Amino acid sequence: MTDSAMPLPIADSVPSLRAQIALWKKAGDTVALVPTMGALHEGHLALVRRAKAVCAKAVVSIFVNPTQFGPNEDYGRYPRQEAKDAELLASAGADLLYLPPVEAMYPRGFSTTITVDGVSKGLCGDFRPIHFAGVATVVAKLLLQGGPDRALFGEKDYQQLQVIKRLVIDLDIPVAIEGVPTVREADGLAMSSRNAYLSPAERAIAARLNVILGEVAGRAKGGEWPAQAAQWGRAELEKAGFTKIDYLEIRDAESLVALERLDRPARVLAAAWLGKTRLIDNRAVG
Ligand code: AMP
């Protein structure tokens, strides 16, 4: 925490969140929401700084959402460090931390799930079947609980960003969704709370993911068929030492449908494993 940072106010219930946001709106302030699962790093803080650049007030939620983790995923061991996160958020200029307990988000009898068809299918959707329904449901709840003017999400989770854009259009949720470019380590690895799981040897290999995606994008841009460039990239990931490749694909940048040729804005996206850690990354083609 910098010397000037004040302790961050915390809301831990829907009424307290709504009360604070209502006060700000009454005073004429615009409000941005940055949803996170905590274990914050510079990538998250870039979202907060952007939120403060475009809105008067920035609310950051930290909620490790159980419904977006599959039964064999890392919900139980997901890193939790709320006190440190609160300090980081205060120094990044956040105005309120929303920290709802699981029972506040999913009270007894909770029965509603939102599924976004189309963009949720394929890519991560093939390997994490309940994931995007969990994300769509919790993000819809956060947006309805807070009623922000704007909500910011990282391009790091590119498919998630497209799912959320579709969600707010389809459900007429009155909020502007903004994607923020991926923040990377010096060697190009996309910052992620899950990077903490990597051993030093895995960490060295991890940096290859972004490099290979860049090379795949270059090949496709240079005239290779998208499918051929993607196949080359999968072989390179294997050579680099990734232990399992869920996918590496070139897709339409918005709808995420498969592309036969590069005739519109495209994105190369991948998910690959190093031991027990699953990494994702993506970048624009061209
Ligand atoms: P998470 O806590 O992993 O759910 O992430 C919360 C938000 O931060 C999501 O919108 C992510 O896409 C975004 N985010 C995570 N890592 C990065 C990064 N390296 N650069 C930019 N945004 C990120």
Side-chain angles (χ1 to χ4, degrees), residues 112-134:
T112 302
T113 300
I114 297 175
T115 54
V116 178
D117 220 336
V119 279
S120 294
K121 297 272 173 66
L123 305 173
C124 283
D126 282 346
F127 297 88
R128 306 184 72 189
I130 61 157
H131 177 66
F132 289 121

Side-chain angles (χ1 to χ4, degrees), residues 34-38 40-41 43-44 46-47 68 78 152-157 160 180-184 190-193:
V34 178
T36 81
M37 297 203 300
L40 302 180
H41 50 65
H44 299 109
L47 266 61
Q68 70 189 66
Y78 198 83
L152 296 94
F153 297 85
E155 286 184 349
K156 150 94 180 5
D157 299 282
Q160 167 176 286
V180 177
T182 302
V183 178
R184 299 178 180 281
M191 288 190 183
S192 165
S193 309

